[in-house]
Amino acid sequence: MSERILVIGACGQIGTELVEALAGIYGNGNVLATDVREAGNVPDVPYRKLDVLDQKGVAQIIMEFRPHQIYHLAALLSATAEKNPKLGWQLNMDGLFYVLDAALEAGVGKVYWPSSIAAFGPNTPSLNTPQYCVMDPNTVYGISKLAGERYAEYYFKRYGLDVRSIRYPGLIGWKAAPGGGTTDYAVSIYYDALQSGHHNCFLREDTLLPMLYMPDAIRATLEMMHAPADQVKIRSSYNLSGMSFTPTQIAESIARVMPGFSISCEPDYRQAIADSWPGSIDDSHARADWGWKHQYDLDAMTADMLHNLKTVKGIGKP
Ligand code: SER
């Protein structure tokens, strides 16, 4: 496929893996990776430094590169945004508007923008959370995601811009470090398992959260982006689910293959964030509309994470 693809926020947890997958599909030369960081930790694709709050810079890169598709991933995640609420709102919302407006102006074919389980809130039904229900997020990150979802749908309906979105659960991967999320304990726990055999968790042991292994998340994103436009019926953002577990359950999964692994819990300010989010997600719309099906359950993810962290990243080796 000879489409040009622009990725904004390419050096983050999702971007690093998505760029690699996109380069495999469209060719390295057709994927332009951008991020606020100086240099890319992305694979061998062209790289430009771009601050998504630089409105002119965003418009210029889109006008010059003329992408067929944009993946706009730059955001401040939940825990980081709570530390700097003004910047969280500004980066997550202004950045989105700059990208949507420039995409419209340049006639970009499709735009991808991720939402999150953080768009739900304390009065949302917490088990098997439906696509449509009370959404009263109480974090800056969640409020910005819900507002962004409404605008994604608005730009689609009012201007015909083909914006597509998924409400990601907590994402777990081994290739890139996560940055400032409440679900990120579920990544650190694997590093700790290999490095010290013990993890001190910032959430309570019974905190149930929806999670997804990164290969599933990347596949979902690409399957939705490749689906015919009329199959993408939801233009705010799709519920998506893979598995749900608590800190105790992920620790048990690790201990099954690494006997002796232990966990302790010292909940901090992130507990309140996690408590406001659902425990599990009903993603039947994604399954019906564009055929979503997850592959990894908790034990399959544990096996793959530990294997790759050990053999590819060398974690835990003396
Ligand atoms: N993983 C994200 C976070 O914890 C949720 O989208 O902030």
Side-chain angles (χ1 to χ4, degrees):
M1 286 192 246
S2 64
E3 293 189 18
R4 286 183 302 280
I5 316 292
L6 176 65
V7 182
I8 300 171
C11 298
Q13 190 197 12
I14 302 169
T16 311
E17 302 212 18
L18 194 57
V19 165
E20 202 180 316
L22 288 165
I25 297 170
Y26 296 97
N28 288 26
N30 286 322
V31 179
L32 177 59
T34 68
D35 198 282
V36 73
R37 294 170 223 201
E38 272 315 322
N41 55 348
V42 285
D44 199 15
V45 301
Y47 181 83
R48 292 258 300 266
K49 185 178 172 185
L50 177 69
D51 178 354
V52 77
L53 287 177
D54 170 10
Q55 186 175 11
K56 279 198 185 124
V58 170
Q60 202 179 348
I61 240 171
I62 292 175
M63 275 302 172
E64 275 171 27
F65 185 59
R66 292 269 164 189
H68 298 85
Q69 298 179 42
I70 298 177
Y71 292 77
H72 169 40
L73 311 170
L76 233 54
L77 290 192
S78 58
T80 319
E82 285 314 292
K83 289 193 176 146
N84 199 341
K86 289 265 184 304
L87 179 64
W89 179 257
Q90 196 189 13
L91 183 75
N92 295 359
M93 290 312 295
D94 289 351
L96 176 61
F97 284 125
Y98 298 160
V99 172
L100 292 179
D101 287 335
L104 257 187
E105 179 79 18
V108 172
K110 284 185 243 178
V111 178
Y112 180 77
W113 170 84
S115 183
S116 157
I117 51 161
F120 297 111
N123 292 297
T124 296
S126 69
L127 290 182
N128 221 15
T129 301
Q131 176 72 36
Y132 300 106
C133 57
V134 171
M135 299 180 78
D136 56 349
N138 59 10
T139 62
V140 170
Y141 176 68
I143 296 169
S144 73
K145 287 299 181 188
L146 182 55
E149 285 189 12
R150 302 319 308 146
Y151 271 105
E153 188 186 279
Y154 185 85
Y155 271 67
F156 174 72
K157 290 201 165 143
R158 170 126 195 213
Y159 306 119
L161 186 65
D162 189 349
V163 190
R164 305 180 181 199
S165 177
I166 287 173
R167 289 175 184 150
Y168 290 128
L171 297 181
I172 297 148
W174 57 271
K175 289 188 184 169
T182 302
T183 56
D184 293 348
Y185 88 86
V187 178
S188 316
I189 196 168
Y190 288 111
Y191 282 83
D192 287 347
L194 291 167
Q195 280 165 340
S196 69
H198 180 80
H199 176 72
N200 188 27
C201 188
F202 57 71
L203 295 182
R204 224 179 32 240
E205 62 275 8
D206 61 350
T207 310
L208 183 71
L209 286 169
M211 302 277 186
L212 189 65
Y213 195 35
M214 195 60 91
D216 272 345
I218 299 295
R219 190 170 50 78
T221 306
L222 294 172
E223 283 175 4
M224 186 191 58
M225 286 299 276
H226 292 152
D230 61 354
Q231 282 180 17
V232 184
K233 297 194 177 98
I234 292 172
R235 293 306 184 142
S236 49
S237 192
Y238 274 94
N239 275 12
L240 196 83
S241 160
M243 60 189 109
S244 285
F245 55 77
T246 63
T248 300
Q249 288 166 331
I250 187 174
E252 284 168 358
S253 172
I254 294 172
R256 277 194 279 279
V257 286
M258 296 182 70
F261 173 71
S262 62
I263 185 174
S264 52
C265 294
E266 263 181 82
D268 67 11
Y269 70 101
R270 288 167 282 197
Q271 185 65 47
I273 301 178
D275 286 343
S276 76
W277 293 350
S280 60
I281 298 288
D282 171 3
D283 61 1
S284 46
H285 286 272
R287 289 177 193 260
D289 290 358
W290 41 271
W292 163 242
K293 211 169 177 299
H294 73 279
Q295 277 176 2
Y296 286 88
D297 63 13
L298 176 54
D299 285 340
M301 175 175 79
T302 293
D304 201 66
M305 276 294 284
L306 291 173
H307 172 75
N308 283 300
L309 285 176
K310 257 191 294 198
T311 58
V312 185
K313 292 239 146 173
I315 304 294
K317 297 229 169 99

